Amino acid sequence: MCKVILVEDMDLIRRDIREMIDWNRYGFELVGEARNGEQGLELYQKTHPDIVITDIKMPLLNGLEMIRSILALNPETQFILLTAYEEFDYAKQAIQFGIHSYLLKHELEENLLLAELEKLRNQIRYHKKATALNNEEAICSYLLAAPQQSVLLPPLFSSWKEPHACVLAHFSETPLKKELLSLSSQLPSFSFDSCRLSERLYVFFLLLPANSSRAQETLLAFSQELLEQLSFLSSVSGNITLAVVRPQTRQESMRAMFQESQQLLQFQVFFPENCILESSLFHPVFSSFRNFAQKQLEQLCLDLEQQHFSSARRKIPEFESTLSKLRDLAFYEQSIRCITDILIHMQNPTLPLSMIHKLSLLSGTAVSQKVCQVCHLLSDILECIQNTLLPTYSKKVEEVIRFVKKHYAEDITLQMLADKLNISPLYISQLFKKEVGINLTNYITKYRISIAASLLQSGNYKIYEVNKKEYEMTIQILMYQINPHFIYNTLNCIICLARKKNFSAIIELTKVFIVLLQRTLKTMPDTMSSIQQEMEYTDNYVSVLQYSYEAVSPVIWEVDAAFYQFQIPHLILYPIVENSVFHGILTENRECHVTVQIQQRGEALKISVSDNGRGMDANTLSHLRSLLQEENQQKEHIGLMNVNNRLKLLYGREAQLEIQSQKGQGCTVSFCIPLCKFSQKT
């Protein structure tokens, strides 16, 4: 029975996965569940499962941090990553852990989950089978033992009276064992034994003549005929590589000869076809050629850093030829690492998952792949990046894009563009949508938002230094930073409810969700709302969360009705409440709640959001406070950073967030708005 644990913070999703398949029927045992990475790590240490199904984004300890800790305990553990949407930043981190099993929550169904589980179980079985002792393990354990390890000489070796040599055969595709171990009839001129070391690695022990001068000739003749016969076998496809070293006269030297063959086998990556590798093929390389190769690598990396992808692709064939001639494994590994690091850490790469899988091949196993395959893969990746990041458009569409980038701060209309380019509005609208993939209005909005984001990243938050158009766009980009994970999770909840045919819950959840989207996704959202409106929005948000998380309770409001019509920044409360829920309440195994208090303090209105949940230790609190002081955009605590940036933009530094917290005693986030900065509705 294959043991599985499930780590997912959303109760509804976790329950849906638990009930999705009949675990025992298919040979799996679900031995436990956890609500966050911290609990998941504790559960792993108790149950020692074979497979961990885990969400990525969770409170306390996220999925990737948990995986890192588990792999430190047992590198053989297999993982299936659950995510609500394709997120490159998380996926590329998972690549570095060697994890390639991803499931999107909204696509999750029984057959898909079973397929991933079965795939990982097969990998586990293969590993156990490869490491288990069988009838051949006496030879395998002897040959594969570490040099300092004391292992008994196998009986086969002890029976030899004449000198023998070993020929190591590696297959790029798995052959049939019974065909390879019955080659004696195909090579009657030679006396030899064979043994399978792994699915693609076999060793042949060749009896040599006593005359040492003839021994080398016999070994090379056997290698050539063996390669020819192997290529004729019906089960053999792909490339075959034989590693041959000088024969030894003593049986005790067989392990040293085998280890030398293994080292030689690594150089197969430099040969595109079937080949026989022997030490005479490798000679010292002149330093001038090594310097030439290093210069080529530097030029290729420079093109990638500057995103000159066409130039980089043109350099790849020549660089492939250089690598094949140099035959330097360390330089080959260095080259792929440099190239991969540049690609993975490119700024804002909007790349599809297919690209991520290709990058995973480069980042994890490139040095074990042939140079020709890696260079071909690299060329495909660069082509994909070039098509994704640097699309080519027709002349008319390029003119439209140039005009938008130059006049983005003006009121651009379709008619204005049509008059400027002397074409019909309908034609330019259809052409733009066809080539760019979005309509013109959305493109203009996205470009304006990108300009606003750049403004924010510069740290220039003072209102009197920003013109009206940029100010409006800045407010808009901050509102568009609402965490999309909530949207995807809500849609996944609707899918789960649909599977259970809970139609009344679907209707209620969908109604509330529509109200939330209507206020959040306005084309030009209001910068201010009444306190009553913000209370209603926050209550709706929390009611949606209650479908996913059983521990969430309604917000407690301590607000005098006299304040209901006062104006506060639009969507300013719910990110703070969300922070309390996910970082304070869902991490506890006791009843917790969130309280919002609004009071007048002198010339200001003080708004506080408190919870009685987990709280923070002094170091975590100090780190969070320091983040609030920084001007640049942060990747941590996006919700709180969003609110803090908007408050500083609207009211200055005196309005920024203040945080009070103690470990185990909850957390309070508060801010003050000057009374002169808002007014009551009449």
Side-chain angles (χ1 to χ4, degrees):
M1 192 74 74
C2 188
K3 295 196 296 184
V4 182
I5 65 171
L6 172 59
V7 186
E8 161 64 51
D9 62 329
M10 294 180 64
D11 301 321
L12 184 61
I13 299 292
R14 194 172 63 253
R15 186 165 57 247
D16 187 48
I17 294 174
R18 181 204 313 146
E19 299 171 357
M20 186 172 290
I21 63 175
D22 185 342
W23 297 86
N24 292 335
R25 175 187 174 189
Y26 295 103
F28 298 97
E29 181 185 4
L30 187 61
V31 295
E33 302 175 19
R35 296 175 60 182
N36 56 61
E38 196 171 86
Q39 294 178 3
L41 183 58
E42 293 176 1
L43 179 63
Y44 178 87
Q45 293 171 320
K46 291 179 181 178
T47 59
H48 304 287
D50 303 294
I51 299 173
V52 178
I53 303 174
T54 178
D55 192 7
I56 295 178
K57 204 165 185 180
M58 296 183 292
L60 292 186
L61 196 69
N62 69 39
L64 296 179
E65 292 169 337
M66 181 192 70
I67 288 170
R68 184 185 292 110
S69 299
I70 290 175
L71 289 176
L73 298 172
N74 182 7
E76 305 303 328
T77 308
Q78 300 294 325
F79 298 89
I80 297 175
L81 296 183
L82 302 175
T83 183
Y85 56 104
E86 299 178 7
E87 183 161 335
F88 185 81
D89 285 341
Y90 286 121
K92 69 184 182 184
Q93 290 181 56
I95 289 171
Q96 296 170 354
F97 294 145
I99 299 170
H100 310 297
S101 289
Y102 305 88
L103 290 177
L104 296 176
K105 291 182 182 178
H106 66 273
E107 295 179 351
L108 194 57
E109 58 182 22
E110 179 182 2
N111 291 339
L112 194 60
L113 178 58
L114 278 173
E116 286 298 315
L117 287 168
E118 188 62 36
K119 180 182 75 173
L120 295 185
R121 179 164 59 185
N122 288 337
Q123 292 179 14
I124 293 169
R125 285 173 174 170
Y126 164 71
H127 175 74
K128 290 180 177 179
K129 184 177 180 181
T131 56
L133 292 176
N134 54 36
N135 294 332
E136 297 176 331
E137 284 300 315
I139 294 174
C140 293
S141 60
Y142 176 79
L143 294 178
L144 300 176
Q148 68 276 13
Q149 186 176 352
S150 178
V151 183
L152 292 176
L153 191 70
L156 176 65
F157 293 179
S158 302
S159 65
W160 290 342
K161 305 301 180 184
E162 299 83 6
H164 281 69
C166 78
V167 176
L168 205 56
H170 179 268
F171 301 85
S172 61
E173 303 292 339
T174 304
L176 285 177
K177 178 182 177 181
K178 63 180 181 180
E179 283 193 338
L180 266 72
L181 300 184
S182 60
L183 279 171
S184 299
S185 60
Q186 308 297 325
L187 298 167
S189 302
F190 303 95
S191 176
F192 62 94
D193 295 289
S194 57
C195 174
R196 187 182 74 161
L197 301 177
S198 68
E199 286 194 349
R200 298 182 184 181
L201 187 64
Y202 286 71
V203 61
F204 295 85
F205 302 105
L206 175 67
L207 174 65
L208 297 173
N211 188 321
S212 59
S213 61
R214 290 189 54 209
Q216 184 69 19
E217 295 177 6
T218 303
L219 177 58
L220 292 179
F222 171 74
S223 301
Q224 292 169 354
E225 291 195 35
L226 175 63
L227 182 62
E228 183 178 0
Q229 289 299 324
L230 290 175
S231 63
F232 289 152
L233 296 179
S234 60
S235 67
V236 174
S237 59
N239 294 321
I240 307 168
T241 304
L242 302 184
V244 180
V245 298
R246 292 184 302 105
Q248 302 286 340
T249 57
R250 298 172 61 243
Q251 292 93 329
E252 291 81 1
S253 302
M254 188 62 68
R255 189 199 295 183
M257 185 164 55
F258 170 76
Q259 291 168 349
E260 187 178 348
S261 300
Q262 277 189 308
Q263 295 174 358
L264 198 58
L265 199 60
Q266 298 178 69
F267 291 89
Q268 65 178 305
V269 297
F270 300 113
F271 297 85
E273 305 293 341
N274 295 347
C275 60
I276 299 174
L277 302 178
E278 51 178 318
S279 55
S280 62
L281 291 173
F282 304 95
H283 306 286
V285 178
F286 291 112
S287 60
S288 58
F289 187 67
R290 189 179 301 276
N291 293 337
F292 172 73
Q294 182 65 39
K295 188 67 175 178
Q296 277 190 328
L297 174 61
E298 291 171 359
Q299 292 174 346
L300 179 57
C301 289
L302 182 62
D303 278 346
L304 295 176
E305 289 171 348
Q306 297 177 349
Q307 298 194 6
H308 297 161
F309 301 119
S310 295
S311 176
R313 288 187 69 204
R314 288 194 296 269
K315 289 182 172 67
I316 289 176
E318 184 179 0
F319 188 59
E320 176 188 343
S321 175
T322 299
L323 287 173
S324 298
K325 294 175 182 176
L326 186 63
R327 296 173 185 171
D328 186 324
L329 288 168
F331 180 76
Y332 177 38
E333 184 175 7
Q334 172 201 345
S335 301
I336 301 307
R337 187 186 302 114
C338 290
I339 293 170
T340 305
D341 286 347
I342 294 172
L343 293 176
I344 288 180
H345 295 98
M346 274 196 315
Q347 293 297 313
N348 301 320
T350 309
L351 304 177
L353 274 181
S354 59
M355 170 67 62
I356 298 173
H357 295 322
K358 288 183 178 181
L359 280 173
S360 72
L361 293 176
L362 274 181
S363 64
T365 59
V367 77
S368 64
Q369 297 183 71
K370 291 185 179 290
V371 170
C372 60
Q373 296 172 333
V374 169
C375 288
H376 181 74
L377 178 61
L378 177 59
S379 182
D380 288 346
I381 289 174
L382 294 183
E383 182 180 13
C384 181
I385 293 176
Q386 189 174 9
N387 293 338
T388 303
L389 300 183
L390 303 173
T392 56
Y393 303 124
S394 64
K395 185 177 179 180
K396 290 295 183 183
V397 171
E398 287 181 349
E399 288 182 28
V400 171
I401 292 174
R402 282 196 297 270
F403 184 88
V404 169
K405 290 182 177 181
K406 184 176 180 181
H407 302 279
Y408 69 89
E410 303 173 14
D411 292 327
I412 303 175
T413 65
L414 192 60
Q415 188 61 53
M416 178 195 300
L417 286 167
D419 294 341
K420 183 74 176 179
L421 302 177
N422 196 27
I423 51 179
S424 75
L426 179 61
Y427 176 74
I428 191 61
S429 175
Q430 293 175 341
L431 182 64
F432 193 91
K433 177 67 179 295
K434 179 181 179 181
E435 294 191 14
V436 181
I438 60 174
N439 63 46
L440 183 58
T441 301
N442 287 344
Y443 179 85
I444 295 171
T445 300
K446 283 191 173 185
Y447 185 73
R448 286 171 173 168
I449 288 174
S450 69
I451 296 297
S454 299
L455 176 68
L456 288 173
Q457 289 173 350
S458 70
N460 193 353
Y461 293 117
K462 295 180 181 179
I463 237 174
Y464 56 81
E465 295 177 352
V466 185
N467 68 43
K468 184 175 185 298
K469 181 66 69 175
E470 290 170 330
Y471 168 71
E472 290 175 351
M473 288 189 295
T474 302
I475 291 293
Q476 192 173 8
I477 180 60
L478 285 169
M479 290 185 177
Y480 273 102
Q481 286 180 346
I482 303 301
N483 189 353
H485 204 70
F486 167 70
I487 297 176
Y488 294 116
N489 280 345
T490 303
L491 295 175
N492 282 321
C493 285
I494 293 174
I495 292 174
C496 292
L497 293 171
R499 286 198 186 105
K500 299 177 183 300
K501 298 183 179 180
N502 191 345
F503 301 120
S504 60
I506 293 173
I507 293 171
E508 291 303 316
L509 175 57
T510 305
K511 284 181 178 178
V512 176
F513 189 48
I514 289 173
V515 172
L516 290 176
L517 293 180
Q518 284 175 334
R519 292 205 63 204
T520 306
L521 304 179
K522 288 183 180 179
T523 304
M524 285 299 293
D526 301 327
T527 58
M528 305 294 286
S529 298
S530 71
I531 288 177
Q532 186 175 21
Q533 288 174 325
E534 290 301 298
M535 291 170 62
E536 292 173 355
Y537 183 90
T538 304
D539 282 338
N540 283 335
Y541 171 75
V542 171
S543 69
V544 170
L545 289 182
Q546 289 178 299
Y547 282 92
S548 301
Y549 304 100
E550 296 172 353
V552 177
S553 58
V555 174
I556 299 172
W557 296 96
E558 296 182 359
V559 184
D560 193 302
F563 293 129
Y564 280 2
Q565 296 308 314
F566 275 87
Q567 301 292 288
I568 61 176
H570 182 59
L571 302 184
I572 205 74
L573 290 181
Y574 108 82
I576 308 178
V577 172
E578 177 185 55
N579 182 77
S580 292
V581 169
F582 283 95
H583 297 284
I585 292 178
L586 293 182
T587 58
E588 297 294 281
N589 292 320
R590 57 186 174 87
E591 185 176 350
C592 300
H593 57 265
V594 177
T595 301
V596 179
Q597 185 181 67
I598 300 180
Q599 297 175 316
Q600 184 172 343
R601 294 290 178 87
E603 297 299 318
L605 195 70
K606 183 174 183 179
I607 301 176
S608 303
V609 178
S610 304
D611 66 75
N612 62 339
R614 182 183 184 85
M616 289 177 274
D617 57 35
N619 290 336
T620 304
L621 180 60
S622 176
H623 174 66
L624 183 54
R625 285 172 172 170
S626 67
L627 291 179
L628 294 174
Q629 297 297 324
E630 296 181 10
E631 298 290 351
N632 294 329
Q633 294 291 85
Q634 302 294 329
K635 293 184 178 180
E636 302 177 66
H637 302 282
I638 293 176
L640 289 184
M641 297 304 115
N642 177 303
V643 170
N644 196 55
N645 288 339
R646 290 172 60 198
L647 288 172
K648 289 193 293 184
L649 181 62
L650 288 166
Y651 304 111
R653 286 188 172 276
E654 66 272 15
Q656 69 181 15
L657 295 177
E658 295 183 2
I659 302 179
Q660 303 293 332
S661 181
Q662 288 187 1
K663 184 73 172 178
Q665 298 184 28
C667 176
T668 297
V669 179
S670 60
F671 61 92
C672 292
I673 301 175
L675 286 172
C676 61
K677 296 294 183 180
F678 63 90
S679 61
Q680 283 183 283
K681 286 187 177 180
T682 57

